[in-house]
Amino acid sequence: MRKIKKNCVFCRANSRKDVAFVNAAFHLGKVLGKRKFDLVYGGGRLGLMGCVSVVAQHQRRVLGIIPSAFTVNNLVGETCGKEIKVATMHERLLTMMELSDAFIALLGGFGTLEELFQMISWAQLNIHNKPIGMLNINGFFNGLLSFVGHAVEQNSLHRGHERS
């Protein structure tokens, strides 16, 4: 496995504040910077994405990948660090995958889950073999992990894929 230099973080951009998740996002940004990892993320400055990127940019390089439609009327706020504009959400995810060495998912909604599942699917299809992790703050991913276990029990997922 190659050396990890750039971590991609998937998380929500909405502005709802939950102290535990905000603190975790700030802490993750700080840890990435201290350990000399660059950050690749979905761009903008809102929500947890903003928390991670604002802290990380003080210590390391930050790269936001953002669909052009999101830059109209400054929909997600100004991106921290360098910004790459892409045409579509699919192109955004593909670019994030190509430019990252590992993936971390924090609290998020359908967009975050889509990004997480896409990386898992692409790993299973050998499109990449990069590590994927979930930062399970306050048990946020417990229900998802339980579902994955259930899918394995029902033979919908191969045993071992739950660790992808």
Side-chain angles (χ1 to χ4, degrees):
M1 186 175 285
R2 67 183 183 196
K3 184 176 179 179
I4 297 173
K5 296 178 183 175
K6 297 178 191 168
N7 275 284
C8 182
V9 175
F10 303 127
C11 56
R12 75 176 184 203
N14 83 38
S15 299
R16 286 184 297 227
K17 302 286 185 204
D18 180 310
V19 174
F21 295 112
V22 169
N23 288 343
F26 279 132
H27 183 71
L28 178 59
K30 189 182 293 184
V31 168
L32 291 175
K34 276 186 179 176
R35 295 193 178 174
K36 302 196 181 328
F37 292 122
D38 293 339
L39 171 67
V40 177
Y41 81 114
R45 202 178 282 242
L46 296 180
L48 298 181
M49 289 199 312
C51 296
V52 173
S53 62
V54 165
V55 174
Q57 79 172 347
H58 293 294
Q59 299 175 16
R60 296 299 299 167
R61 286 179 294 241
V62 173
L63 177 60
I65 314 297
I66 189 164
S68 297
F70 285 12
T71 62
V72 175
N73 297 324
N74 205 19
L75 186 63
V76 294
E78 185 180 326
T79 293
C80 294
K82 185 179 173 191
E83 181 177 272
I84 295 177
K85 290 184 180 132
V86 295
T88 66
M89 292 295 280
H90 180 75
E91 186 180 352
R92 174 196 203 192
L93 194 53
L94 180 61
T95 303
M96 293 166 91
M97 188 269 298
E98 290 172 341
L99 296 177
S100 301
D101 302 315
F103 308 95
I104 303 168
L106 289 167
L107 167 79
F110 287 123
T112 301
L113 293 172
E114 176 198 8
E115 293 163 340
L116 174 63
F117 282 127
Q118 192 70 61
M119 289 306 118
I120 293 169
S121 293
W122 285 350
Q124 289 178 351
L125 295 170
N126 293 315
I127 293 171
H128 74 82
N129 84 353
K130 302 171 184 182
I132 305 163
M134 295 178 285
L135 197 52
N136 194 16
I137 306 301
N138 289 347
F140 178 77
F141 288 109
N142 287 355
L144 177 61
L145 294 170
S146 177
F147 169 75
V148 169
H150 174 72
V152 169
E153 289 171 6
Q154 298 299 311
N155 297 313
S156 184
L157 294 175
H158 295 290
R159 191 157 304 282
H161 281 185
E162 72 270 20
R163 289 184 213 96
S164 295

